[in-house]
């Protein structure tokens, strides 16, 4: 045989002997879109999997399978016994954990999710108040596909800058990075609704506290740059010369829309662990609930000052609350590690230092436009 | 080195059969007629005419123009003394010559000449009075376009060269003539612009044409397969055109043009891969539009080759990459199909190819029904019957449509065919197979050459200056250099500043 034929023969041999790759044809796969983890009484994990139902004749768009096992993968192979299609996690969008699970520590579960190459790093993680299994299996009128509903709800609010983003990539990063703790949104079902109630504060991998959505907004204000979020603020109206009457509300409430925001943390004293948090906000006033003369610059300035004070005190309260729980979602530890040379900060070390830290909050708020108000 | 050795061989090969074994013209009239008759196999159209004063005319009835024969030869030869010199003086045909050998006489008679034999002389006069059986010049069919000259080459070599000469009134336009084909003796012409075209390329082309040993060359597409760098590859390395303006633009860029008698298309070389996606119209529309169209054609080539394989790979192996909103309709439509995606795709692709081939073979009037058959039967019924998923129908249609956007028919065919191995690779090994196929194609393309110059020219080797008129087209003032691929002796077309006024 000539060398050319030899080469061809070799290629043919490689092709024929290797055979086809292991195929995963779409319609034969059970595509898991949401996974939920609960803790059973005997400390096992109850895994609920919502599958996308690919059958034009089926009434329901999804099927929920659940299985109890010691590990997440074990539960999947148990659930395989209940499914006509091979269960696959490649289309996973949301992983939900019950509060119980997160309070016990969730790193083993998220770790197996992040190891699986088929699972995207951009899936959303969430904490459910109550039972995840109930939430995912509940039949609600008007919600045809609970898992999609939750996914869209989380996505919409994260993109709309209502709550901080909590993709698996971010949670895992915050977990492994010393000096910052992850946060995850909390969800609550019932009354035909699924509501985002706030954020879970997590220390190491255990949930230690909760903040509400207003505080979640402030958390985002510190950590990220804003472009679209808006917030409602209520301030005491006694200092404004607004005529008091029975009909008008007791508090002056304004809705401001952030045009840009900028948060900056500096370590100003490394021995006393004193940080300075500067927040700059450029906003637009969207709505005000009482008659207030916005045309007068002096009055507008007064409003600005009052709003500043309000935000400052809110931020201080949030930081204090987080410090009480021991979780540091703001990343003060990272600033410390960055600013102090050779600090060799570890997560454990920082969690010991964190309760002693002090934060000075400085807010600079500017109302650029009020034109939207009548 | 290799090149020079070849060159020295070439002239010997054609001069081999010249003077030695040729037969002289006999002096006797009857002997001459019988030899000619025997040489031309006693053809039914072989005619002789004996004049009273000793001339004998021999010609092929089917190849000669009767009017010219009567007016310019017969009428002039009466009443003069029968010597070859007298005949040469009297005949009023522009192309006449003296012939000493029978072989030359046979060659001439086959080209439409009348041979005039004078009794007692071993020399004959040949006068060409060939009929001009030509189609009149028509509009371009395969490369029709809205803007630009509306004229195409026809089957006559002389007409084609005259068209080129009319577009390019330039004394530097060289025209070399060859005869190719042992049986057909087809005339082949090599045209190039002296002082622009690279001498080495001209030598190479000349040597390739002379080196051909084949019995017949019927069309320029035949010849181009014989003189290509790599006849085994799937990509054509030389481009054919039926537009004289396109051939001229090639000549002006330092390329060579080869014409074959009896062929409506001319060969241009060297060409780059990008040239297959360019149309002459790109020069006639504004540069923004031309750039958009060129990018669109490139994009559609990629879509046409890779769209179906990506579908197959995604559905067979990589369900992760499918957007979730598409999953349900895709899955539902797939759940009725009994075949795996690779079979489904191959089946539908084959159907499309069947339709296309059937439409091409049928007469035009019947061909219109093909659209109905294709649209209704294959399109709707196949989905209803659960034969294929309707998303695949869309994908196959888009890729079929994209393959039609290639301005070059040959490249369009290549794109059609390339899809099949890629679908098989995608169906067996998913994206790994697809990437393997893509890399294989890319390496193959990089290895190709056209007349010794790189086929993937402005990209590999990178010649960024030439990108201005390849994948995009910048304004004329910016494209004032000839492409480096042809290695032109004179790089500069014109001074840029003059055109920007």
């Amino acid at each position: 045989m000539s060398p050319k034929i030899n080469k061809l023969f070799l290629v043919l041999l490689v092709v024929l002997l290797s055979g086809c790759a292991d195929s995963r044809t779409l319609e034969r796969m059970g595509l898991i879109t949401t996974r939920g983890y609960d803790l059973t009484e005997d400390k096992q994990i109850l895994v609920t999997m919502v599958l996308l139902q690919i059958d034009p004749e089926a009434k329901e768009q999804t099927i929920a399978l659940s299985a109890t096992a010691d590990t997440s993968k074990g539960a999947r192979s148990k659930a395989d016994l209940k499914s006509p299609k091979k269960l696959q996690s490649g289309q996973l969008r949301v992983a939900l954990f019950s509060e119980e699970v997160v309070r016990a520590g969730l790193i083993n579960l998220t770790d197996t999710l992040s190891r699986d190459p088929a699972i995207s790093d951009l899936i959303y993680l969430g904490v459910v108040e109550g039972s995840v299994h109930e939430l995912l299996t509940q039949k609600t009128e008007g919600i045809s596909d609970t898992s999609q509903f939750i996914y869209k709800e989380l996505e919409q609010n994260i993109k709309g800058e209502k709550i901080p983003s909590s993709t698996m990539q971010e949670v895992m990063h915050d977990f492994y990075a010393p000096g910052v703790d992850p946060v995850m949104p909390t969800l609550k079902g019932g009354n035909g609704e699924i509501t985002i109630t706030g954020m879970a504060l997590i220390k190491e991998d255990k949930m230690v506290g909760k903040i509400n959505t207003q505080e979640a907004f402030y958390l985002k204000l510190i950590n990220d740059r804003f472009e679209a979020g808006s917030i409602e603020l209520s301030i005491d109206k006694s200092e404004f010369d607004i005529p008091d009457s029975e009909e008008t509300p007791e508090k002056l409430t304004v809705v401001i829309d952030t045009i840009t925001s900028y948060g900056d943390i500096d370590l100003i004293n490394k021995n006393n662990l004193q940080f300075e948090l500067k927040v700059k906000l450029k906003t637009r006033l969207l709505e005000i609930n009482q008659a207030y003369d916005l045309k007068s610059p002096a009055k507008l300035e007064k409003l600005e000052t009052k709003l500043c004070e309000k935000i400052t005190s809110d931020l201080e309260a949030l930081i204090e609350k987080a410090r009480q729980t021991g979780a540091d979602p703001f990343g003060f530890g990272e600033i410390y590690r960055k600013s102090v040379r050779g600090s060799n900060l570890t997560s454990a070390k920082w969690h010991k230092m964190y309760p002693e830290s002090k934060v000075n909050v400085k807010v600079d708020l500017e109302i650029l436009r009020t034109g939207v108000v009548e | 080195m290799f090149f020079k050795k070849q060159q020295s061989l070439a002239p010997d090969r054609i001069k081999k059969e010249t003077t030695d074994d040729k037969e002289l013209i006999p002096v006797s009239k009857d002997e001459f007629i019988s030899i000619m008759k025997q040489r031309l196999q006693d053809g039914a159209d072989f005619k002789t005419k004996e004049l009273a004063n000793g001339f004998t005319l021999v010609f092929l009835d089917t190849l000669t123009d009767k009017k010219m024969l009567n007016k310019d030869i017969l009428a002039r030869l009466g009443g003069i003394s029968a010597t070859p010199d007298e005949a040469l003086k009297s005949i009023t045909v522009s192309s006449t010559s003296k012939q000493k050998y029978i072989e030359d006489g046979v060659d001439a008679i086959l080209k439409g000449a009348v041979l005039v034999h004078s009794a007692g002389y071993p020399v004959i006069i040949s006068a060409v009075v060939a009929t001009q059986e030509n189609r009149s010049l028509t509009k371009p069919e395969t490369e029709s376009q809205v803007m630009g000259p509306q004229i195409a080459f026809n089957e006559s070599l002389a007409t084609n060269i005259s068209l080129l000469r009319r577009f390019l009134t330039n004394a530097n336009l060289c025209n070399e003539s060859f005869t190719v084909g042992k049986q057909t003796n087809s005339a082949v012409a090599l045209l190039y612009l002296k002082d622009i075209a690279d001498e080495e390329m001209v030598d190479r082309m000349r040597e390739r044409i002379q080196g051909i040993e084949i019995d017949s060359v019927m069309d320029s597409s035949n010849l181009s397969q014989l003189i290509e760098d790599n006849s085994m590859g799937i990509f054509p390395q030389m481009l054919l055109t039926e537009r004289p303006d396109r051939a001229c633009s090639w000549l002006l860029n330092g390329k060579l043009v080869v014409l074959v008698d009896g062929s409506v298309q001319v060969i241009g070389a060297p060409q780059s891969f990008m040239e297959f996606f360019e149309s002459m119209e790109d020069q006639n529309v504004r540069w923004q539009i031309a750039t958009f169209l060129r990018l669109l054609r490139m994009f559609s080539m990629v879509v046409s080759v890779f769209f179906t394989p990506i579908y197959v790979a995604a559905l067979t192996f990589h369900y992760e990459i499918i957007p979730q909103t598409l999953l349900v309709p895709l899955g539902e439509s797939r759940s009725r199909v009994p075949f795996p995606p690779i079979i489904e795709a191959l089946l539908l692709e084959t159907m499309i190819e069947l339709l296309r081939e059937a439409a091409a073979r049928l007469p035009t009037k019947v061909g219109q029904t093909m659209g109905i058959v294709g649209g209704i039967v294959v399109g709707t019924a196949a989905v209803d019957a659960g034969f294929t998923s309707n998303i695949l129908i869309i994908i196959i249609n888009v890729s079929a449509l994209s393959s039609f956007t290639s301005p070059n028919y040959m490249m369009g065919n290549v794109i059609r065919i390339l899809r099949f191995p890629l679908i098989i690779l995608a169906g067996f090994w998913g994206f790994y197979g697809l990437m393997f196929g893509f890399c294989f194609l890319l390496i193959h393309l990089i290895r190709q050459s056209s007349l010794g110059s790189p086929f993937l020219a402005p990209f590999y080797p990178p010649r960024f200056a030439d990108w201005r008129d390849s994948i995009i087209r910048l304004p004329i003032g910016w494209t004032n250099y000839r492409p480096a691929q042809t290695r032109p002796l004179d790089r500069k077309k014109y001074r840029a500043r003059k055109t920007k006024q």
Side-chain angles (χ1 to χ4, degrees):
Chain A
M1 272 193 283
S2 73
K4 225 174 195 176
I5 300 279
N6 262 336
K7 258 187 218 167
L8 203 74
F9 187 70
L10 209 72
V11 170
L12 212 72
L13 216 74
V14 168
V15 168
L16 291 179
L17 290 183
S18 67
C20 300
D22 182 25
S23 80
R24 287 179 292 174
T25 315
L26 173 70
E27 70 272 11
R28 291 184 198 151
M29 297 297 124
L31 304 174
I32 303 171
T33 56
T34 303
R35 268 189 198 209
Y37 298 91
D38 282 300
L39 221 53
T40 59
E41 277 163 13
D42 47 355
K43 296 291 169 199
Q44 279 195 312
I45 315 164
L46 169 68
V47 183
T48 314
M49 283 159 269
V50 181
L51 304 187
L52 211 59
Q53 173 73 285
I54 301 179
D55 182 4
E57 271 96 57
K59 270 184 196 161
E60 299 289 327
Q61 282 194 9
T62 54
I63 324 171
L65 295 176
S66 53
T68 314
D70 286 328
T71 59
S72 143
K73 290 276 187 290
R76 193 173 86 182
S77 52
K78 269 190 182 173
D80 254 336
L81 300 172
K82 300 179 187 174
S83 165
K85 296 172 176 179
K86 194 170 189 310
L87 297 181
Q88 293 285 340
S89 310
Q91 285 282 351
L92 196 69
R93 291 291 189 270
V94 182
L96 296 173
F97 305 89
S98 75
E99 207 178 311
E100 248 183 318
V101 171
V102 187
R103 284 202 187 273
L106 87 166
I107 190 62
N108 292 332
L109 296 172
T110 47
D111 186 54
T112 180
L113 291 177
S114 71
R115 269 166 204 274
D116 193 338
I119 297 176
S120 160
D121 268 350
L122 298 175
I123 62 169
Y124 292 124
L125 303 184
V127 180
V128 174
E129 296 176 14
S131 158
V132 186
H133 182 75
E134 268 170 38
L135 179 76
L136 290 178
T137 48
Q138 74 179 8
K139 297 272 179 286
T140 315
E141 253 179 71
I143 303 176
S144 61
D145 182 347
T146 319
S147 74
Q148 276 291 303
F149 189 88
I150 295 171
Y151 170 59
K152 295 264 168 69
E153 184 176 314
L154 285 172
E155 189 182 38
Q156 186 269 116
N157 282 298
I158 287 167
K159 295 257 163 80
E161 303 193 322
K162 289 274 188 301
I163 53 171
S165 173
S166 68
T167 60
M168 185 162 74
Q169 195 267 333
E170 283 158 313
V171 170
M172 293 305 278
H173 168 266
D174 290 353
F175 171 74
Y176 283 114
V180 62
D181 285 316
V183 283
M184 275 154 68
T186 54
L187 296 149
K188 194 175 178 163
N191 301 329
E193 289 175 334
I194 298 165
T195 325
I196 297 173
T197 53
M199 303 297 285
L201 296 177
I202 292 164
K203 181 183 171 186
E204 301 281 346
D205 68 330
K206 294 178 179 62
M207 176 166 165
V208 286
K210 251 185 254 181
I211 54 174
N212 60 28
T213 46
Q214 176 101 354
E215 286 163 329
F217 178 87
Y218 285 124
L219 175 59
K220 196 166 160 47
L221 194 63
I222 297 171
N223 283 351
D224 294 330
R225 283 161 192 243
F226 261 102
E227 264 150 23
S230 66
I231 190 176
E232 184 187 84
L233 292 171
S234 295
I235 36 179
D236 201 8
K237 74 172 179 184
S238 58
E239 285 180 49
F240 299 98
D241 44 347
I242 296 167
D244 227 355
S245 69
E246 290 288 304
E247 293 90 46
T248 52
E250 275 176 27
K251 290 216 161 193
L252 177 72
T253 305
V254 294
V255 176
I256 53 172
D257 176 27
T258 358
I259 293 167
T260 54
S261 88
Y262 173 66
D264 187 26
I265 306 171
D266 280 321
L267 180 66
I268 47 172
N269 188 334
K270 65 178 170 185
N271 299 324
N272 289 349
L273 271 184
Q274 214 166 21
F275 292 95
E276 189 181 59
L277 167 66
K278 278 189 223 156
V279 175
K280 265 188 191 165
L281 276 164
K282 285 188 178 171
T283 63
R284 178 166 75 169
L285 200 140
L286 288 184
E287 194 179 335
I288 187 161
N289 71 337
Q290 295 188 24
Y292 190 73
D293 184 16
L294 293 166
K295 281 174 192 149
S296 130
K299 285 190 170 183
L300 196 62
E301 205 164 302
K302 194 171 181 189
L303 185 66
E304 273 178 9
T305 333
K306 287 291 157 194
L307 285 174
C308 260
E309 279 169 16
K310 167 75 179 157
I311 292 174
T312 311
S313 68
D314 280 355
L315 282 175
E316 275 167 352
L318 170 68
I319 292 166
E320 186 50 36
K321 189 175 178 179
R323 197 163 41 207
Q324 297 273 313
T325 65
D328 176 17
F330 316 102
F332 288 122
E334 281 204 319
I335 303 298
Y336 178 80
R337 191 169 64 97
K338 197 166 78 181
S339 319
V340 179
R341 198 175 281 266
S343 60
N344 290 331
L345 195 74
T346 59
S347 196
K349 218 165 151 187
W350 174 245
H351 282 117
K352 257 182 224 150
M353 293 159 74
Y354 177 54
E356 266 101 67
S357 65
K358 282 187 198 71
V359 181
N360 306 336
V361 181
K362 281 186 182 166
V363 178
D364 179 11
L365 180 134
E366 206 179 330
I367 296 176
L368 292 180
R369 271 170 262 165
T370 58
V372 187
V373 185
E374 191 195 348
Chain B
M1 198 168 65
F2 162 79
F3 174 67
K4 276 191 178 144
K5 216 193 268 171
Q6 290 278 316
Q7 195 188 30
S8 62
L9 273 174
D12 293 345
R13 204 157 38 197
I14 40 164
K15 277 182 188 162
K16 212 162 42 186
E17 29 179 355
T18 40
T19 48
D20 298 339
D21 22 72
K22 280 196 170 180
E23 200 178 342
L24 288 166
I25 304 276
V27 182
S28 145
K29 174 180 81 181
D30 295 327
E31 208 179 322
F32 172 67
I33 291 174
S34 73
I35 287 178
M36 286 311 286
K37 216 173 205 174
Q38 185 209 330
R39 281 297 172 99
L40 291 167
Q41 312 304 326
D42 202 3
D45 52 352
F46 179 75
K47 293 274 154 35
T48 55
K49 171 98 184 159
E50 291 171 43
L51 297 188
N53 52 0
F55 283 122
T56 308
L57 272 62
V58 171
F59 55 93
L60 282 176
D61 196 18
T62 43
L63 286 180
T64 44
D65 186 353
K66 298 287 145 5
K67 245 186 214 165
M68 278 174 82
L69 183 63
N70 291 334
K71 200 178 84 194
D72 298 322
I73 298 174
L74 279 176
R76 307 275 167 182
L77 289 180
I80 56 166
S81 62
T83 64
D85 291 333
E86 279 296 314
L88 202 57
K89 265 187 227 161
S90 315
I91 293 172
T92 54
V93 175
S94 60
S95 70
T96 50
S97 59
K98 275 186 184 177
Q99 309 285 5
K100 268 161 77 182
Y101 300 106
I102 291 286
E103 278 76 11
D104 297 338
V106 171
D107 277 352
I109 208 169
L110 284 173
K111 281 173 184 154
V114 172
L115 304 184
V116 181
H117 181 262
S118 332
Y121 293 91
V123 175
I124 52 167
I125 304 297
S126 77
V128 179
V129 286
T131 46
Q132 299 291 318
E133 296 292 350
N134 269 345
R135 229 161 29 103
S136 55
L137 292 169
T138 51
K139 281 188 170 189
E141 291 274 325
T142 54
E143 287 170 87
S144 65
Q145 58 191 40
V146 180
M147 315 250 297
Q150 302 290 341
I151 195 160
F153 288 122
N154 71 3
E155 282 85 355
S156 157
L157 181 65
T159 316
N160 292 351
I161 295 178
S162 80
L163 275 175
L164 285 176
R165 282 227 189 253
R166 222 169 291 163
F167 270 95
L168 253 173
T169 314
N170 189 336
N172 277 342
L173 182 63
C174 299
N175 175 7
E176 292 181 17
S177 165
F178 305 89
T179 308
V180 178
K182 254 187 260 166
Q183 306 293 340
T184 54
N185 289 317
S186 315
V188 171
L190 167 63
L191 269 70
Y192 55 91
L193 274 175
K194 205 176 154 67
D195 298 339
I196 293 179
D198 180 33
E199 285 296 327
E200 201 177 317
M201 295 225 181
V202 176
D203 287 343
R204 199 170 297 162
M205 182 60 109
R206 195 185 292 134
E207 174 210 339
R208 279 186 194 176
I209 295 173
Q210 285 169 343
I212 297 170
E213 279 184 42
I214 196 166
D215 62 336
S216 68
V217 171
M218 281 301 168
D219 190 60
S220 51
S221 49
N222 277 358
L223 186 70
S224 81
Q225 289 174 44
L226 294 170
I227 57 177
E228 261 171 355
D229 296 46
N230 178 7
S231 316
M232 298 292 282
I234 190 168
F235 292 99
Q237 296 124 41
M238 289 180 186
L239 202 46
L240 299 175
T241 187
E242 57 167 357
R243 300 187 64 87
D245 53 335
R246 189 154 196 215
C248 277
S249 81
W250 288 345
L251 286 171
L252 288 168
N253 275 340
K255 297 182 182 179
L256 321 181
V257 165
V258 177
L259 296 90
V260 178
D261 195 18
S263 171
V264 287
Q265 288 186 312
V266 304
I267 306 169
Q271 300 292 7
S272 71
F273 183 63
M274 273 315 298
E275 192 94 28
F276 287 85
F277 298 94
E278 290 169 14
S279 154
M280 203 54 212
E281 201 163 26
D282 296 348
Q283 306 295 333
N284 300 337
V285 295
R286 301 196 65 78
W287 68 273
Q288 297 93 334
I289 294 146
T291 300
F292 171 76
L293 288 176
R294 283 189 179 175
L295 291 174
L296 184 77
R297 285 187 211 123
M298 266 325 264
F299 169 76
S300 72
M301 185 216 37
V302 174
V303 163
S304 182
V305 173
F306 291 106
F307 210 11
T308 323
I310 285 174
Y311 167 87
V312 171
L315 255 71
T316 319
F317 297 103
H318 315 283
Y319 66 91
E320 297 96 340
I321 63 152
I322 304 169
Q324 203 158 36
T325 37
L326 201 62
L327 267 179
V328 175
L330 203 59
E332 281 181 0
S333 131
R334 270 289 302 159
S335 63
R336 284 193 299 265
V337 181
F339 317 111
I342 176 176
I343 303 287
E344 182 194 11
L346 283 177
L347 207 73
L348 208 61
E349 284 284 3
T350 316
M351 274 193 211
I352 288 274
E353 291 305 318
L354 284 179
L355 273 175
R356 188 152 31 179
E357 194 60 18
R361 299 293 151 240
L362 275 175
T364 339
K365 280 177 191 164
V366 195
Q368 288 171 353
T369 50
M370 294 308 304
I372 303 164
V373 173
I376 295 173
V377 176
V378 177
T380 322
V383 176
D384 284 347
F387 223 52
T388 56
S389 65
N390 39 22
I391 287 169
L392 183 64
I393 295 256
I394 299 171
I395 286 171
I396 300 249
N397 274 346
V398 168
S399 45
L401 207 62
S402 312
S403 75
F404 292 133
T405 59
S406 163
N408 185 273
Y409 178 72
M410 290 194 294
M411 193 47 91
N413 281 345
V414 174
I415 290 170
R416 263 165 78 174
I417 304 301
L418 274 186
R419 225 178 287 152
F420 286 90
L422 285 174
I423 290 174
I424 292 170
L425 282 174
F428 283 0
W429 296 286
F431 277 141
Y432 300 105
L434 199 56
M435 279 325 287
F436 175 79
F438 172 71
C439 293
F440 183 87
L441 276 180
L442 197 67
I443 292 168
H444 178 73
L445 276 173
I446 287 174
R447 282 167 54 98
Q448 296 309 300
S449 61
S450 176
L451 211 61
S453 66
F455 188 52
L456 224 51
F459 307 117
Y460 187 83
R463 295 286 178 266
F464 294 109
D466 292 345
W467 285 37
R468 295 172 191 183
D469 191 9
S470 77
I471 192 161
I472 52 172
R473 184 176 87 72
L474 291 188
I476 288 179
W478 295 40
T479 55
N480 57 329
Y481 283 95
R482 302 195 165 90
Q485 192 211 11
T486 55
R487 274 175 241 138
L489 300 181
D490 182 10
R491 272 282 266 152
K492 210 170 192 174
K493 280 192 206 164
Y494 41 77
R495 275 177 43 218
R497 196 178 293 162
K498 289 280 180 191
T499 59
K500 282 179 186 162
Q501 284 172 355

